[in-house]
Amino acid sequence: MLDKNGIAKRIAKEIKDGYYVNLGIGIPTLCANYVPKGINVVFQSENGILGMGPFPFEGEEDADLINAGKQTVTLLPGASIFDSALSFGMIRAQKVDLTILGAMEVSENGDIANWKIPGKMVKGMGGAMDLVASAKNIIVAMQQVNKAGESKLLPKCTLPITGIRCIKKIVSELGVYDVLPEGGFKLLERAPGISVDYIKKSTAGKLIVEGEVPEMKAD
Amino acid sequence: MNKTVKNAEEAVRDIKDGATIALGGFGLCGIPENCITALVKKNVRNLTCISNNAGVDDFGLGLLLQGKQIKKMISSYVGENAEFERQMLSGELEVDLIPQGTLATRLMAGGYGMPAIFTPAGVGTEIAIGKEVRKFKFNGVEKEYLMEYAFEPEFAIVKAWKGDTEGNLIFRMTGRNFSPLVAMAGKITIAEVEELVQPGELVADQIHLPGIYVNRIFQGEKYEKRIEQRTVRKK
């Protein structure tokens, strides 16, 4: 079973040279730590940064320089700063190549729910609805099974949805999936030590398994 | 045209109970600290605030929430504020949560003289209920878009890094965020700046927001610039 860093590491392999990438809060943020060597990538933060760098050294924090998670960050050479309308403009116009975000539920037709638990968590959608409605390439990082043992890969989302038919790829603690245009989670890879049977039991929505499914390469 | 006012109190002098105010800032970054303090002191009530976030319990818009001065918030993310959550869940506070890009673009539309925009954000979700949906082909793909109206708040309050007495503004780093958009949407726009300079001291083609959008400007007395999430690495 993959931990948070394991999920981030696997997703980072999907980042290609020359990509502009938007990372969501949580596991997606960790992906920045695992970008393969030799790959040039520019991170976008939707509060208005292209070319976001790592956290500042102690004592060099700047209250005027934060990321979308309100954390202090730095700029890399070649970075630029802009306002929020332009930031979502480049997202809507699909200039950003890859969006990585977290989810509470994904349905077999690619709907995603990640912004609200009625009566409990009402924090707001932030930029999530804009991102999922516009991004051409979205990878979801999520826990497939919650603490109560319930699957979060569902026939239909039970929570209020963030966007419809927009998710094409998922990396969870158990495996890697494509969400097919005709519906269904196609299992591409298994997490180390996880069997297809276990994944079947952990997927409430339609699971598609074709032939031998390889185990994820550890490295 | 000299737009200088003495201080925050004078800048917010005609903001009355029931006013609609758009405020710049992202989290606690780039918020108009001095005007918020002046609004707390003035104790204006029943405000409608358009702002991406609602501050934290004891800073930013959280200060207006503590005094129950806000009737309605229009925001995209309000996660950092326990008092906000309490007032919202108890029904004391009306809340309209809208996507961040929609918020930014509705403000921009206000300043660009466009009554409405079309965005794909929220199509098929609960925020689309009651909204006009239209299909457009864009980037080679036909899909559905929601119509969203421009914001036209009575007042807009922003904080910039530098400004001149003509109202021209320059923002610093991600302190820019929603601020130029908020400033251009307001019927009356108030700018507080860290440093107020004379005309000619700012370089014309480096100005982020032209002074035509600003009605009142002053240099803030002090800036705390609180950091919400101090994240660092070791040297």
Side-chain angles (χ1 to χ4, degrees):
Chain A
M1 200 172 296
L2 297 177
D3 61 6
K4 286 178 179 180
N5 281 291
I7 294 173
K9 209 168 167 182
R10 176 59 190 82
I11 292 178
K13 287 186 187 172
E14 304 288 324
I15 298 173
K16 305 274 189 301
D17 194 40
Y19 266 15
Y20 290 96
V21 179
N22 178 287
L23 301 177
I25 295 162
I27 301 175
T29 307
L30 299 173
C31 295
N33 300 332
Y34 301 107
V35 177
K37 280 219 167 73
I39 298 274
N40 283 304
V41 50
V42 175
F43 289 112
Q44 199 247 19
S45 189
E46 64 268 25
N47 59 320
I49 309 175
L50 274 172
M52 179 174 50
F55 295 151
F57 289 120
E58 269 180 317
E60 292 175 11
E61 315 89 272
D62 181 344
D64 287 334
L65 187 51
I66 61 169
N67 64 14
K70 283 112 188 172
Q71 299 168 312
T72 45
V73 292
T74 55
L75 300 179
L76 294 174
S80 56
I81 299 274
F82 34 85
D83 69 52
S84 300
L86 187 64
S87 184
F88 283 93
M90 65 184 69
I91 288 166
R92 253 182 251 117
Q94 301 191 326
K95 302 295 179 188
V96 177
D97 299 288
L98 175 64
T99 294
I100 302 169
L101 44 80
M104 299 192 280
E105 297 177 348
V106 175
S107 76
E108 63 191 33
N109 66 350
D111 295 353
I112 176 172
N114 70 352
W115 77 281
K116 184 179 185 182
I117 303 172
K120 262 193 197 164
M121 186 204 81
V122 191
K123 294 176 187 294
M125 66 290 280
M129 281 192 183
D130 304 273
L131 283 158
V132 299
S134 294
K136 56 187 168 189
N137 191 4
I138 304 172
I139 302 177
V140 162
M142 70 184 289
Q143 291 295 324
Q144 180 168 345
V145 179
N146 70 5
K147 282 180 190 137
E150 299 158 335
S151 173
K152 296 292 147 190
L153 297 186
L154 299 168
K156 205 167 179 279
C157 290
T158 64
L159 293 170
I161 61 170
T162 311
I164 49 169
R165 292 186 293 278
C166 51
I167 306 306
K168 295 187 182 75
K169 188 163 235 153
I170 299 164
V171 178
S172 78
E173 77 278 22
L174 302 180
V176 181
Y177 309 83
D178 269 346
V179 183
L180 301 180
E182 65 271 25
F185 303 103
K186 185 179 176 183
L187 183 62
L188 302 179
E189 293 173 27
R190 295 173 290 116
I194 301 293
S195 68
V196 169
D197 271 349
Y198 189 84
I199 289 170
K200 277 183 184 161
K201 273 183 226 144
S202 308
T203 309
K206 185 179 168 192
L207 181 73
I208 296 149
V209 182
E210 280 174 8
E212 280 290 300
V213 178
E215 189 167 288
M216 209 176 283
K217 282 196 195 90
D219 56 357
Chain B
M1 218 178 298
N2 192 334
K3 312 222 172 136
T4 314
V5 293
K6 205 166 63 212
N7 53 27
E9 285 69 32
E10 193 188 332
V12 303
R13 63 188 182 261
D14 51 355
I15 298 184
K16 299 207 167 69
D17 287 359
T20 297
I21 312 171
L23 298 104
F26 181 88
L28 300 179
C29 180
I31 58 172
E33 298 181 21
N34 290 275
C35 283
I36 291 171
T37 304
L39 289 171
V40 171
K41 272 194 207 145
K42 196 172 155 69
N43 198 23
V44 277
R45 308 190 78 81
N46 288 317
L47 299 173
T48 295
C49 291
I50 303 166
S51 167
N52 188 57
N53 311 92
V56 294
D57 281 326
D58 61 345
F59 200 56
L61 285 182
L63 296 171
L64 290 171
L65 285 165
Q66 291 289 350
K68 303 202 168 65
Q69 291 174 258
I70 301 178
K71 178 185 72 174
K72 181 178 181 180
M73 277 298 309
I74 301 171
S75 303
S76 89
Y77 189 83
V78 293
E80 268 60 68
N81 194 315
E83 175 62 14
F84 184 101
E85 206 153 345
R86 193 197 65 72
Q87 288 185 22
M88 175 167 64
L89 293 172
S90 72
E92 291 165 58
L93 179 68
E94 230 181 293
V95 180
D96 197 0
L97 291 170
I98 64 176
Q100 196 173 327
T102 302
L103 176 62
T105 314
R106 288 176 69 183
L107 289 162
M108 187 193 82
Y112 273 50
M114 300 187 301
I117 56 147
F118 286 94
T119 175
V123 167
T125 75
E126 64 181 49
I127 71 148
I129 295 167
K131 286 179 185 156
E132 186 176 334
V133 176
R134 279 183 68 175
K135 273 190 178 172
F136 292 102
K137 193 172 173 183
F138 184 79
N139 220 354
V141 181
E142 190 177 71
K143 60 181 189 182
E144 292 184 331
Y145 291 79
L146 295 185
M147 188 170 80
E148 301 274 9
Y149 293 104
F151 280 124
E152 300 178 86
E154 294 166 76
F155 292 95
I157 306 178
V158 299
K159 182 248 164 182
W161 179 44
K162 287 183 182 179
D164 66 20
T165 56
E166 302 281 303
N168 294 307
L169 302 180
I170 294 178
F171 301 91
R172 185 173 172 276
M173 295 292 191
T174 53
R176 189 170 343 174
N177 57 65
F178 287 83
S179 297
L181 313 161
V182 163
M184 65 172 65
K187 296 295 166 210
I188 295 175
T189 293
I190 299 162
E192 56 171 85
V193 295
E194 286 181 55
E195 191 184 349
L196 184 66
V197 301
Q198 291 304 309
E201 288 186 49
L202 301 179
V203 180
D205 64 358
Q206 288 177 359
I207 285 165
H208 294 138
L209 187 83
I212 193 168
Y213 286 112
V214 175
N215 302 91
R216 300 169 193 166
I217 190 165
F218 68 97
Q219 185 170 305
E221 203 178 310
K222 64 176 170 63
Y223 287 96
E224 182 181 334
K225 290 199 177 187
R226 200 185 288 187
I227 293 175
E228 213 165 322
Q229 307 268 352
R230 188 180 298 273
T231 45
V232 295
R233 62 192 152 131
K234 290 246 184 293
K235 268 191 198 177

